[in-house]
């Protein structure tokens, strides 16, 4: 018998994967959590019925949510990740030797515990001595910490449940305050095909706080439409100003300085979204 998992990504479209095993299912205090093994993408973390990450394609998302900001900042020492309990963003951040402290603030302890158990390829840097893991609400954390971070990365779930406020103006204002005077902020902002209103609204809210606001794209096969957006807000440095011939001192599979530069070149319909 074949078993297939379907995420209904919109009311009219879904992604369907043949599964080889269901590894874990539970209702945590915050969300429904499942880890399933799929034939095409390997182990997959699913929260509230939405694919968060898979072993086969996670590198695209995790490299692109981290290295663009980290390579824009000349000296990123203190980095915060909000959400990101699978540990993928942290794994990429600690590749930067300049980073002295990387803090993960995840609201749901079970996401971290189960990622450690079932997704070690992704969570492998959570025990790095430069990493601190805190189980608390990211919204509260940024409200209570002013002017201390060089970079803040919001690696959140879709805007449902505890993540709704992570897409609000008040939160972006707190992020601005939690950053140092030359700090950079980046957030995942969903699919230009299916979430155009969200992208438009996030871009407008972020650009009210940050003098430099840019959208960039990457291709993540298991996310709705595959085309995924990130919005970056910067107090001082323009993320498009990167030396494309710069040599990286660490390994990547998707990110390169050329991809960094190219990711800001937007298809016209996406560019139109953020110009409106
Ligand atoms: N890469 C993923 C994606 O875009 O599909 C996001 C992955 S990560 C698992 C998202 C995490 O954000 C979840 O583990 C969730 O518990 C966490 N989260 C949601 N709201 C939060 C909040 N207010 N504070 C801290 N973490 C939060």
């Amino acid at each position: 018998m074949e078993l297939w998992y379907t995420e209904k990504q919109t009311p009219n479209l879904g992604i369907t994967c043949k599964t080889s095993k269901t590894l874990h299912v539970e209702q945590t205090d915050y969300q429904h959590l499942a880890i399933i093994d799929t034939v095409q993408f390997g182990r997959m973390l699913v929260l509230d019925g939405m694919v968060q990450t898979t072993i086969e394609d996670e590198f695209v998302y995790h490299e692109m949510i981290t290295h663009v900001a980290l390579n824009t900042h000349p000296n990123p020492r203190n980095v915060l990740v909000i959400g990101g309990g699978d540990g993928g963003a942290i794994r990429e951040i600690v590749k930067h030797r300049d980073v002295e402290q990387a803090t993960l603030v995840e609201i749901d302890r079970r996401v971290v515990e189960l990622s450690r158990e079932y997704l070690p390829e992704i969570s492998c840097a959570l025990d790095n001595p430069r990493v601190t893991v805190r189980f608390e609400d990211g919204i509260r954390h940024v409200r209570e910490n002013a002017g201390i971070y060089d970079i803040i990365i919001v690696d959140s779930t879709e805007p449902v449940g505890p993540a709704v406020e992570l897409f609000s103006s008040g939160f972006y204002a707190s992020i601005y305050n939690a950053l140092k005077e030359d700090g950079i902020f980046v957030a995942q902002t969903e699919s230009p095909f299916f979430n155009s209103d969200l992208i438009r609204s996030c871009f407008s809210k972020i650009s009210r706080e940050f003098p430099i606001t840019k959208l960039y794209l990457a291709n993540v096969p298991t996310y709705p439409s595959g085309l995924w957006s990130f919005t970056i807000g910067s107090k001082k440095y323009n993320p498009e100003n990167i030396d494309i011939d710069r040599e990286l001192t660490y390994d990547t599979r998707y990110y390169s300085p050329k991809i960094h530069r190219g990711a800001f070149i937007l298809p016209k319909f996406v560019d139109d979204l953020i110009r409106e």
Side-chain angles (χ1 to χ4, degrees), residues 12-79:
N12 309 308
L13 181 84
I15 181 174
T16 298
C17 305
K18 189 172 167 183
T19 66
S20 50
K21 200 167 186 182
T22 301
L23 297 164
H24 189 92
V25 180
E26 75 175 62
Q27 180 66 45
T28 74
D29 289 343
Y30 297 95
Q31 51 216 337
H32 185 270
L33 185 160
I35 298 177
I36 53 185
D37 206 352
T38 68
V39 176
Q40 191 69 54
F41 293 108
R43 278 156 283 131
M44 175 185 269
L45 172 67
V46 181
L47 294 177
D48 285 337
M50 290 172 271
V51 177
Q52 302 296 306
T53 196
T54 82
I55 294 295
E56 287 301 320
D57 72 348
E58 58 87 11
F59 67 97
V60 181
Y61 176 87
H62 291 131
E63 290 180 14
M64 289 302 280
I65 202 170
T66 53
H67 299 307
V68 173
L70 280 151
N71 285 319
T72 297
H73 198 291
N75 187 18
R77 279 175 294 173
N78 195 15
V79 182

Side-chain angles (χ1 to χ4, degrees), residues 30-237:
Y30 297 95
Q31 51 216 337
H32 185 270
L33 185 160
I35 298 177
I36 53 185
D37 206 352
T38 68
V39 176
Q40 191 69 54
F41 293 108
R43 278 156 283 131
M44 175 185 269
L45 172 67
V46 181
L47 294 177
D48 285 337
M50 290 172 271
V51 177
Q52 302 296 306
T53 196
T54 82
I55 294 295
E56 287 301 320
D57 72 348
E58 58 87 11
F59 67 97
V60 181
Y61 176 87
H62 291 131
E63 290 180 14
M64 289 302 280
I65 202 170
T66 53
H67 299 307
V68 173
L70 280 151
N71 285 319
T72 297
H73 198 291
N75 187 18
R77 279 175 294 173
N78 195 15
V79 182
L80 171 68
V81 178
I82 294 176
D86 49 67
I90 288 287
R91 183 195 63 203
E92 296 305 312
I93 291 164
V94 299
K95 289 180 179 174
H96 290 254
R97 292 195 202 117
D98 286 354
V99 173
E100 293 164 4
Q101 181 64 47
T103 304
L104 180 79
V105 173
E106 164 61 61
I107 204 165
D108 191 343
R109 176 185 291 274
R110 291 300 285 152
V111 175
V112 173
E113 289 170 352
L114 292 159
S115 298
R116 282 181 187 279
E117 187 172 347
Y118 292 106
L119 308 170
E121 302 90 332
I122 303 176
S123 60
C124 52
L126 290 174
D127 292 323
N128 184 295
R130 291 181 286 146
V131 173
T132 304
V133 180
R134 300 172 69 106
F135 296 112
E136 57 176 315
D137 189 339
I139 295 154
R140 202 173 129 193
H141 183 87
V142 288
R143 255 190 232 135
E144 290 173 357
N145 288 280
I148 63 167
Y149 291 110
D150 296 301
I151 293 180
I152 299 179
I153 294 168
V154 180
D155 181 4
S156 68
T157 36
E158 290 63 19
V160 287
V164 171
E165 245 198 274
L166 299 178
F167 294 81
S168 69
S169 301
F171 178 63
Y172 297 139
S174 304
I175 292 262
Y176 187 92
N177 291 332
L179 285 166
K180 293 182 193 163
E181 70 213 2
D182 59 350
I184 303 177
F185 151 70
V186 62
Q188 73 88 3
T189 44
E190 311 273 308
S191 160
F193 280 102
F194 301 139
N195 310 97
S196 52
D197 288 347
L198 180 133
I199 291 177
R200 210 182 279 117
S201 135
C202 288
F203 194 88
S204 143
K205 289 173 192 165
I206 294 167
S207 56
R208 263 178 249 144
E209 301 297 334
F210 288 87
I212 302 166
T213 303
K214 306 269 178 188
L215 189 103
Y216 64 93
L217 298 172
N219 197 284
V220 186
T222 53
Y223 287 175
S225 85
L227 189 67
W228 211 246
S229 77
F230 302 85
T231 305
I232 194 162
S234 176
K235 291 189 179 185
K236 185 170 173 188
Y237 310 111

